[in-house]
Amino acid sequence: MTIDTMQNKSVVNPLGLDELVFKISLNVKDPLRKSVPDKEQASAIQEANKMADGTVSVSIKIVDDSSVDVYRDPLKKLQKFYYENTLPIGKGKQPHRIVSTMNLNKFKKEFDALILDVQDGMKKFKRSYQDQESWHARCQARLGSKYDKGNYPSVDDVEKNLNIHHSMDAFGDFSKSGGAFLDPETLATLKKQQKESMDAVETYATQHVWERILEPLQKMHDTLKVPIEDSKKFHGTLVTNLVDVANALPGLNFRGNGQLEEIRKDIMDLTSSIESVDDLKTDPAVREQAVEGAKKVLSKMGGYGMKRQPA
């Protein structure tokens, strides 16, 4: 999906990006593999069906979910919170994301609590993993002839490498710390490069916020505009995903964008008017009202230059 964006004229915060956001990173190291390839079984399937080599891929799930849930469940919650309440700075893998300074205290409080839950879970797992006899007995009983002790890391490896790393830093202004050591021409060039870099980050992050809104809103509109008798099955997430985005917007709106806030209020009005998802499945009038509501918000977004474009 691409978004056609126009110059935003509804900005109420004149501060530089380095004063509006913090850099945040989250990295997890887990030496315990979830699965391993089963080349023997893949080859057998290929031969039995006269298939070309490389056509079939088979994997063995070597770790039972219940044995690692103690840290992977809180880790999933942490990662969900992290990605829903921060913004990317560019395409692909990036060294960090950004969080709004206005939302920093609230974000940090919940983020730190979730980090502690993960760390506590990792400590508990490390203690249980030390009992290698019990661990490998369970794995062997579960996997039978496919069990291979060599697929599992050592106690030492888990102790050292099962970790979570995170950081939270201000963007900062290098001219304040390094400016005294640079000649005026070099300093001016570096400041220009830094501004261009920050402008690119801000443009990408802002576009991502609009995309976060557009995707569930467009999906609701496209799903509900189909007549009930021809409609495919849908779940309550059709509405709740939109509500979740609207609830997250105040923390993501780092520039204090008035248009974003206006759209957020429109979405809250739209979703609050839907008393039950079941009504959308059975009541044509309620369904049509929701379609028209979504259409109006989409139209307003289009007026702001935020609309779906051909891929």
Side-chain angles (χ1 to χ4, degrees), residues 15-30:
L15 297 176
L17 185 66
D18 58 327
E19 298 175 272
L20 294 174
V21 298
F22 264 61
K23 297 185 296 184
I24 182 166
S25 66
L26 178 67
N27 297 289
V28 180
K29 291 184 65 177
D30 189 345

Side-chain angles (χ1 to χ4, degrees), residues 232-246:
K232 293 181 180 179
K233 186 177 181 180
F234 62 85
H235 302 284
T237 51
L238 189 72
V239 177
T240 59
N241 285 347
L242 194 53
V243 173
D244 290 343
V245 170

Side-chain angles (χ1 to χ4, degrees), residues 210-271:
W210 285 105
E211 289 176 347
R212 285 271 298 269
I213 301 169
L214 180 60
E215 186 173 351
L217 183 61
Q218 189 76 55
K219 184 175 181 180
M220 173 187 278
H221 175 271
D222 293 349
T223 299
L224 298 181
K225 74 176 182 180
V226 178
I228 289 178
E229 59 271 17
D230 300 324
S231 179
K232 293 181 180 179
K233 186 177 181 180
F234 62 85
H235 302 284
T237 51
L238 189 72
V239 177
T240 59
N241 285 347
L242 194 53
V243 173
D244 290 343
V245 170
N247 287 335
L249 277 180
L252 298 176
N253 190 2
F254 59 88
R255 181 59 81 178
N257 186 312
Q259 293 173 346
L260 272 174
E261 175 59 17
E262 188 177 343
I263 292 296
R264 184 193 71 81
K265 291 179 179 177
D266 289 344
I267 290 173
M268 294 306 293
D269 289 342
L270 169 62
T271 54

